[in-house]
Amino acid sequence: QQQVKQSPQSLIVQKGGIPIINCAYENTAFDYFPWYQQFPGKGPALLIAIRPDVSEKKEGRFTISFNKSAKQFSLHIMDSQPGDSATYFCAASSPGAGSYQLTFGKGTKLSVIP
Amino acid sequence: NAGVMQNPRHLVRRRGQEARLRCSPMKGHSHVYWYRQLPEEGLKFMVYLQKENIIDESGMPKERFSAEFPKEGPSILRIQQVVRGDSAAYFCASSPPVRQVLQETQYFGPGTRLLVL
């Protein structure tokens, strides 16, 4: 049972466009939602994270929107650049039993074309 | 400013051999997580360790896989009698001690890519 569903699987945008990646979760115990960026052959790098008591968080060109009632959250990348071309993963965790294991979505491969 | 370190970066094993993957957490971090990533897939949690303790191994296969995080030295993920299906990228992540702000924030290493022939 996939607990975090991510869409789309792939996305192509023009430079300067605003790609939007969506995630939906099922487990209401989740209380921490990070986004990771991964380049080929590299490890995931933390981009931005949010908690359910906030509806939006912005860091630089990256914005998370969070809808607690719908159990959905999304990543927006403003003024996207070719260097943003990577795979993006949403994730979620809950502090159940003292373990903060992350449950990941399947990823979105973003291509930003010049 | 050393981040999470993993070695080896690439490992080739024949079926039936053992694979040992090492992870050194970020300085000051005492929590280590191991994840496995299959091609074109997201990461799947395997095990969570603190120094000398396994806290959560709910994602670890019951056979052939083991993990440790000794008092001194790196965390080790050990796969005995490897099979082709074990071929994947294995990532280690570390996080700060409990009671620090955002202790659930995890920082990932570059991964070990295991290929089983």
Side-chain angles (χ1 to χ4, degrees):
Chain A
Q1 182 185 6
Q2 185 185 358
Q3 294 195 55
V4 178
K5 293 185 180 178
Q6 184 172 346
S7 63
Q9 190 172 356
S10 62
L11 189 54
I12 301 173
V13 298
Q14 294 269 355
K15 178 184 173 184
I18 306 176
I20 300 173
I21 304 170
N22 301 298
C23 285
Y25 63 97
E26 299 162 9
N27 186 350
T28 55
F30 286 149
D31 68 351
Y32 173 71
F33 302 88
W35 284 88
Y36 284 85
Q37 178 190 57
Q38 186 179 31
F39 293 103
K42 304 293 185 184
L46 179 66
L47 267 180
I48 185 172
I50 198 168
R51 295 190 186 278
D53 54 348
V54 175
S55 62
E56 186 175 281
K57 184 175 181 181
K58 186 175 182 178
E59 286 185 6
R61 294 186 295 111
F62 300 96
T63 299
I64 300 180
S65 298
F66 190 87
N67 186 330
K68 186 175 181 178
S69 60
K71 292 187 287 185
Q72 295 175 347
F73 57 110
S74 60
L75 176 71
H76 302 229
I77 305 175
M78 305 301 175
D79 187 28
S80 59
Q81 302 296 313
D84 296 329
S85 297
T87 299
Y88 292 80
F89 293 96
C90 63
S93 74
S94 67
S99 172
Y100 296 95
Q101 60 167 282
L102 289 167
T103 299
F104 282 86
K106 289 195 171 184
T108 296
K109 188 171 183 179
L110 172 66
S111 298
V112 181
I113 52 178
Chain B
N1 183 21
V4 177
M5 293 191 291
Q6 290 187 249
N7 66 81
R9 296 291 306 277
H10 300 272
L11 183 61
V12 180
R13 286 287 178 266
R14 296 193 180 279
R15 281 179 296 169
Q17 291 184 320
E18 178 181 288
R20 291 171 71 88
L21 289 61
R22 296 175 192 79
C23 169
S24 296
M26 286 178 71
K27 186 176 181 180
H29 287 191
S30 55
H31 299 194
V32 165
Y33 297 78
W34 285 93
Y35 293 83
R36 177 164 61 178
Q37 184 179 36
L38 295 171
E40 308 301 321
E41 292 280 327
L43 286 78
K44 295 282 197 291
F45 167 77
M46 299 180 74
V47 62
Y48 164 44
L49 309 104
Q50 296 176 17
K51 287 281 187 182
E52 300 184 280
N53 280 306
I54 297 175
I55 306 301
D56 180 359
E57 57 182 346
S58 59
M60 192 91 99
K62 294 289 184 280
E63 297 180 353
R64 301 188 298 108
F65 286 73
S66 62
E68 63 176 8
F69 189 13
K71 187 176 180 181
E72 302 289 338
S75 174
I76 306 283
L77 179 67
R78 183 183 179 203
I79 312 172
Q80 296 178 290
Q81 299 175 336
V82 296
V83 301
R84 288 211 173 114
D86 296 332
S87 295
Y90 291 84
F91 291 97
C92 164
S94 73
S95 66
V98 178
R99 294 191 218 95
Q100 288 197 13
V101 175
L102 294 180
Q103 65 260 30
E104 62 266 70
T105 301
Q106 295 179 27
Y107 299 90
F108 283 80
T112 294
R113 277 130 188 101
L114 173 66
L115 176 63
V116 180
L117 301 177

